[in-house]
Amino acid sequence: MAEDLVLESCNLECESNSLNHMTADMGSQQLVVRRGQSFTITLLFAGRGYEEGVDRLTLNVQTGPCPIESSGTKSHFPVSDALRKSAWSAIVEHQDGTSLSLLIYSPPDARIGRYTLTLEASMGYQGTSFRLGEFILLFNPWCPDDSVFLEYEDQRCEFVLTQQGLIYQGSLKFIVPTAWNFGQFEDEILDICLQLLDTNPKFLRDQNRDCSRRNNPVYIGRVVSAMVNCNDDQGVLAGRWDNAYEDGVSPMSWIGSVDILRRWRKYGCQPVRYGQCWVFAAVACTVLRCLGIPTRVVTNYNSAHDTNSNLVIDRYLDEMGNLQKTSKDMIWNYHCWVETWMTRPDLSPGCDGWQALDPTPQEKSEGTYCCGPAPVKAIKEGELRLKYDIPFVFAEVNADVVYWVLQKDGSRKKTIYSSTVGKNMSTKSVGKDTREDITHNYKYPEGSDQEREVFAKAELQKSYLTEEEKGVSIKIKVSEGMNNGCDFDVYAVISNNTETERLCRLMFCARTASYNGVMGPECGMKDLLNVILLPHAEKTVPLRILYEKYGSCLTQDNMIKLVALLFEYQTGDIVLGVRDIYIKNPDIKIRVLGEPMQKRKLVAELTLTNPLSTPLSGCVFTLEGAGLTEGQKTQELASRVEPGQEAKVRVDLAPHLSGLHKLVVNFESDKLKGVKGYRNVIVAPLPK
């Protein structure tokens, strides 16, 4: 009778498996594979080798603290003669003496997470069990049967594998791309993402049920959306929008997700201070890409926050053009969320593809601060009854804005104003650093028959300006050179499109603002009591904006809101023009000194010229880049920087991955904060 099989060692073949499963950038210290795709392990037996027909090999995989076969978190399966596409299975791939290679296949709907793998070897009724090790299973956009399958390789590369990107900020008329280091494959990040899943309240309430649902990207998306904010759990980020960030980090100072996620874990899952919408979205993007779900960050300009779900945002002005805080409804200059790619078998046909998912805590969804996934196609078609949170996202891109002027007698009068919600929706293009406009994915053209049909289906009303209301109009135009530290002009351009002369009063004012619509102090004002408008003529009224007025009260969002109120004496009509402008920070010049090559020292030279009329002190450059730096690097200047002079530092880099990478830089000082810059660096592989 043959002696029992004795396992001497098990090689999980981390390096070759990671190449086949597109997880090589996560390193080779642990086995990370994707579901719906086979992977190889090699067993080395002591004494004799495996004998087919004599030895019976059975594998056991399990995940979570309470693995149960009926929950899909445990599977017991033999080494057989064929792989099964719908279940865990294994075959002999190759045998050489006492060495045996097995091919193990996971089904495309397997639960993601950390698994243990054991082997049972027997010749009859008795057997011996061996622990082979652990592996991590992720979603698989390369597998046609996976619910996150994405057809095109360039998109899989962009939305799953790329560790850097651009997030669009600024304003509707001055869109600013900001580089971000997602870093989903950096050291510790995968383990932190799995810890995030195990910290969510649904897991803590019912571990078996939570783990059993981790095969579903819709469920994972909702968990991540809730866990990136900390409003009702031990989430990653605390939000703050009041410009008081002294007890944490200003949202404008972050340049990547890696530092945020590492801080969250290091300090015992306490929320990291502070985040705003683009930070919440970027961290969610990192977590979801890390887990294998195709994800991108999108920006919606003039984004509505409709708290009472009537699709109308009421804003109130006094007669001087100052916004009054009388409603929770808001218009944000821009708002960021993420889109994730997945099928929606839980919904009617036509809802597959991009899903809007918003981790910024705004409104509760099923009792939790999360939002989505909401099918983008359903948002466009006005299918408001489908899951999840479609009415809220629909309002963000479609709501009407109505401005009222509060008059001295306590009454209010509606202004004539052309609503501009949901404009220039932006995301980074696939494979290049350009902006892709995706507004057409969310809504039909303004005023089109299709748009009217969508509103009728949703049983909602949308107002449009009548021809009579277009008689007198006002637009705000700007000049070149709206740079931080400079004075510049803005213009109210009034058009009289009627046959008669009009006499008006013009109130034209400027106030600093935050990107979420909150107003700061006045920094420019003009009140003209007698403006004469000739028939079919145009009149331009300039307003000078002085740095000495806006410099001290400009928030880190670098926003100024311009409001022009035109009171017509004859008709009593009030015509309104509103524009948000972005004050441009100086550029950071980034030079790379030396030839970028893997595992060779490289130096980056960072330079910023002080554009202000006063010195800068406390100057600090911070930089990071997946594949280029070991974590975040900070360099402080010892002396202050005089007006017109350069702040310059040199920082050592440590390129450890070949390919295209982004070096992302932030500059802070006492008077300039959140100044961003980036440079693409192509790192050559080590010569063979």
Side-chain angles (χ1 to χ4, degrees), residues 10-11 29 78 117 146 163 184 293 301 319 329 333 341 349 361 378 414 428 452 478 507 524 540 604 612 622 645:
C10 173
N11 185 345
Q29 300 305 305
L117 175 64
D146 196 310
Q163 296 198 76
Q184 67 267 30
I293 301 175
Y301 287 92
E319 290 182 320
D329 288 356
N333 290 45
W341 183 272
K414 186 177 178 180
K428 179 186 175 297
R452 294 172 196 271
V478 299
M507 300 286 303
T540 299
L612 307 183
T622 305
Q645 298 298 306

Side-chain angles (χ1 to χ4, degrees), residues 594-619:
E595 183 183 350
M597 186 170 287
Q598 193 178 2
K599 297 184 179 177
R600 289 198 183 168
K601 185 180 174 182
L602 196 64
V603 174
E605 182 182 82
L606 315 175
T607 308
L608 178 140
T609 302
N610 179 6
L612 307 183
S613 55
T614 54
L616 300 178
S617 58
C619 300

